[in-house]
Amino acid sequence: MVQFSRACLRKFGNLVDNLRLYVRGGSGGMGLPRLGGQGGNGGDVWVVAKKDVTLKRIKDKYPQKRFVGGAGANSRVRSLRGERGEDKQIFAPVGITVTTDDGRILGDLNAEGDRVIVAKGGPGGSRYTAFEPSKGQVKHIRLDLKLIADMGLVGFPNAGKSSLLTAISNATPQIASYSFTTLKPEIGKLMYKDYKQISVADLPGLIEGAHINKGMGHKFLKHVERTRQLLFVVDVCGFQLASQTPFRSAFETVQLLTKELELYKEELVSKPALLVVNKMDLPDAEDKLQELKEHLQNPDQFSDLLPDMIPKKYMTFKHVVPVSATTGFGIDHLKSCIRESLDEDAAMETKAIHQERLQALRYPSHEHL
């Protein structure tokens, strides 16, 4: 197991999904006391979203991970007002959350061109400061990459998520018989006849205790936050991580996945969700599927089957879709269900926006009158 882990680290060690940087705004310029001149303000430091940038490239290009704004110019006889220092821009990938070391969110960069100021430059010297300039802000910030996808695959290791993503999209994630195949996120695109594209993210597998950062814990869960809907994937025959860990039925698996999401961030279980019951080509799969559906319809009656981790709120699935990623059974139906679910949500969002605008027209704000 140790050798396998080392091999995975060698193969996937290039994935960088968070980065800590030192940032400092530029110092202000000196004022000119005898003529009342004002020094230029120091330049600010910004994080700017840009396509085709990765955190690894930032790390490789700037090994010191230090970014400083330009200093403001001193006031002079020929230029009583000193020029402002040059701003420093840190180009980062789309889908970044920028936080301080203490966890305060400075901003989310969800689209190319989005920007957030992370360190302000110091004011130049003036008559209000005895012509003495100030230094810029100094911070340590974190860039945290969170995927943005329409659908996020949620499942314990070896549930068949990678095989499923290959079957429904253009992605080619690594597929193998051991548990931890996916160690870095993969995004596939579902293509429809009307040229509609839907993005689906295959995320590193959860294990029990992920909410307290066991296994890949928070590395997985933070990506779930940035998906519009969830696609639970379970093995119809159940799941066992290792010989020393308990066996979980498909029903137990669904509830444990729900509880892990709930403990990490309760609002995650309010996302629209579909349930994919995979490996329907296995023996007795139909009987096990009917048993799972019965349990899902009346989860309280079967709560004694669960371990201690019973979720506060049972997950409600828009669709329960049996498939076999290996044989292709149910794949077309699954793609239709995904499209239907996302289209329904989009229609509801559009309706809500229209109602909000109509309300604003009927009852205009008087605050500017």
Side-chain angles (χ1 to χ4, degrees):
M1 187 67 180
V2 173
Q3 290 178 343
F4 166 68
S5 299
R6 287 174 179 169
C8 288
L9 284 172
R10 284 196 299 270
K11 185 163 188 178
F12 298 108
N14 287 337
L15 175 66
V16 177
D17 61 4
N18 62 82
L19 202 57
R20 185 172 183 261
L21 306 176
Y22 170 90
V23 294
R24 175 162 58 87
S27 298
M30 291 287 294
L32 187 61
R34 65 189 179 90
L35 295 177
Q38 182 172 333
N41 294 335
D44 303 326
V45 182
W46 296 80
V47 179
V48 182
K50 186 178 180 182
K51 289 182 179 178
D52 302 323
V53 175
T54 66
L55 292 182
K56 185 177 186 305
R57 287 182 188 172
I58 299 173
K59 184 179 179 182
D60 292 344
K61 188 174 180 179
Y62 304 99
Q64 301 299 319
K65 293 181 283 188
R66 291 173 59 91
F67 298 87
V68 180
N74 294 334
S75 173
R76 297 173 292 142
V77 173
R78 293 185 178 180
S79 179
L80 290 180
R81 189 177 186 87
E83 291 185 6
R84 191 178 185 281
E86 186 177 352
D87 287 350
K88 183 69 176 178
Q89 295 189 113
I90 307 169
F91 292 109
V94 174
I96 285 287
T97 296
V98 186
T99 61
T100 58
D101 259 358
D102 60 4
R104 184 166 57 90
I105 296 177
L106 299 176
D108 289 309
L109 308 182
N110 296 325
E112 186 171 23
D114 285 357
R115 51 199 280 124
V116 60
I117 189 168
V118 292
K120 292 183 178 179
S126 67
R127 61 191 180 91
Y128 301 106
T129 62
F131 301 97
E132 290 294 324
S134 299
K135 293 182 178 179
Q137 290 181 331
V138 177
K139 293 177 187 172
H140 280 96
I141 64 168
R142 294 181 182 273
L143 306 183
D144 201 25
L145 177 62
K146 297 181 180 181
L147 294 176
I148 301 175
D150 296 311
M151 284 279 179
L153 300 181
V154 177
F156 286 132
N158 220 25
K161 299 190 304 298
S162 296
S163 299
L164 182 66
L165 187 66
T166 301
I168 64 177
S169 76
N170 60 356
T172 54
Q174 185 192 22
I175 299 169
S177 58
Y178 47 79
S179 295
F180 291 98
T181 302
T182 305
L183 294 183
K184 65 175 182 177
E186 296 273 356
I187 293 186
K189 292 285 186 181
L190 276 67
M191 305 292 293
Y192 292 86
K193 291 180 180 179
D194 61 353
Y195 304 105
K196 169 78 173 180
Q197 293 187 31
I198 290 174
S199 57
V200 180
D202 176 22
L203 309 171
L206 278 168
I207 64 169
E208 292 179 43
H211 67 281
I212 54 173
N213 214 17
K214 283 187 178 180
M216 300 194 76
H218 293 175
K219 279 182 174 287
F220 168 89
L221 290 165
K222 71 178 183 182
H223 293 307
V224 176
E225 294 180 60
R226 296 291 285 277
T227 59
R228 293 179 60 192
Q229 297 193 9
L230 305 179
L231 200 63
F232 277 51
V233 184
V234 300
D235 184 331
V236 69
C237 293
F239 167 72
Q240 186 174 21
L241 180 64
S243 57
Q244 66 271 23
T245 58
F247 172 81
R248 306 300 189 192
S249 69
F251 175 67
E252 289 176 312
T253 302
V254 170
Q255 306 313 331
L256 284 170
L257 288 169
T258 303
K259 188 63 176 178
E260 288 295 341
L261 296 180
E262 186 179 77
L263 288 172
Y264 174 71
K265 190 164 286 189
E266 202 162 322
E267 54 263 37
L268 288 180
V269 298
S270 299
K271 284 180 179 282
L274 286 73
L275 174 61
V276 178
V277 186
N278 195 18
K279 306 189 181 181
M280 288 299 296
D281 53 302
L282 297 178
D284 301 323
E286 283 294 338
D287 292 339
K288 292 183 183 296
L289 174 64
Q290 293 308 314
E291 180 182 275
L292 171 61
K293 287 182 175 180
E294 181 184 347
H295 290 176
L296 289 174
Q297 286 175 359
N298 303 285
D300 285 322
Q301 295 182 20
F302 300 97
S303 59
D304 59 320
L305 299 175
L306 295 171
D308 297 333
M309 290 179 65
I310 299 174
K312 293 179 186 176
K313 179 183 176 183
Y314 293 109
M315 206 83 186
T316 301
F317 297 103
K318 287 187 169 186
H319 301 278
V320 177
V321 188
V323 305
S324 169
T326 302
T327 66
F329 166 75
I331 294 300
D332 287 339
H333 179 52
L334 173 60
K335 292 175 71 173
S336 297
C337 290
I338 291 173
R339 175 71 182 270
E340 180 183 324
S341 181
L342 287 166
D343 284 351
E344 284 175 359
D345 264 20
M348 288 176 63
E349 288 175 10
T350 302
K351 184 178 179 181
I353 291 170
H354 286 169
Q355 288 179 339
E356 186 178 328
R357 289 176 179 172
L358 185 60
Q359 191 80 354
L361 290 171
R362 286 176 176 171
Y363 306 101
S365 172
H366 298 288
E367 60 186 36
H368 298 301
L369 297 180

